[in-house]
Amino acid sequence: MPKDWLEWHDLYNTEAKLQQRLEIVREYISYSLEHSPTGAIRVVSACAGDGRDLLGTLANHSRAKDVYARLVEINPQLVERGRATIESLGLTKQIEFINGDATAADNYVGAVPADIVIVCGIFGNLADENELNRLLGNLSFLSKKGAFVLWTRGHSHGIAYSDTVRKYFRDFGFEEVNFKLTATGDMGVGIHHYLGENLPTPKEEKLFVFSGVPNKAR
């Protein structure tokens, strides 16, 4: 089992369920880019890892030059990987990778409200449904009206946790655009459309508490 998040991300090289999840996330990012208004597209990604979901999509996307993104990740080695990829894509003037706490609202100031918000790999690492509600409530700070929000949620012990996530999204003023399970059947990926108004300040300065550990990540 992985002892840290760098090792966890290396599982993308061998784990079918992670590879399948990544493929769906990239599909949804591509959809979001294609359905965003003409002009600049603002993107934020929380707990971004090495950014392979967004950066892998931009590598071959016709709207890559429209994207202005901020990725936030606390692991310095993953950030270093991501920055190297950004440089190789020639997008250093458009994409910034912050080595910092993704739960802190201050790390998004100046990059929000965004057209596309990526919160993948987070929901399964929250302590309980109260913490999930807290994060969903703060998405109104990250998202402009009409934004696309992409998320993932793992299933375990026969429990379809993504069903709960989808219900709460509806309660917080989001419309489901699409939802898919990986072929392995144990990871859900969703994309929602934000119908509410952007809040210029977050409801709480700490957007959520990330309580996950690599060897139990979901």
Side-chain angles (χ1 to χ4, degrees), residues 10-28:
D10 286 340
L11 293 177
Y12 276 103
N13 298 322
T14 56
E15 292 277 348
K17 62 184 179 181
L18 290 178
Q19 294 167 352
Q20 292 164 15
R21 184 180 84 167
L22 178 61
E23 182 179 355
I24 300 171
V25 172
R26 285 178 173 172
E27 174 191 336
Y28 288 171

Side-chain angles (χ1 to χ4, degrees), residues 121-132:
I122 298 178
F123 293 164
N125 294 290
L126 304 178
D128 51 35
E129 290 185 16
N130 289 330
E131 202 58 41
L132 172 62

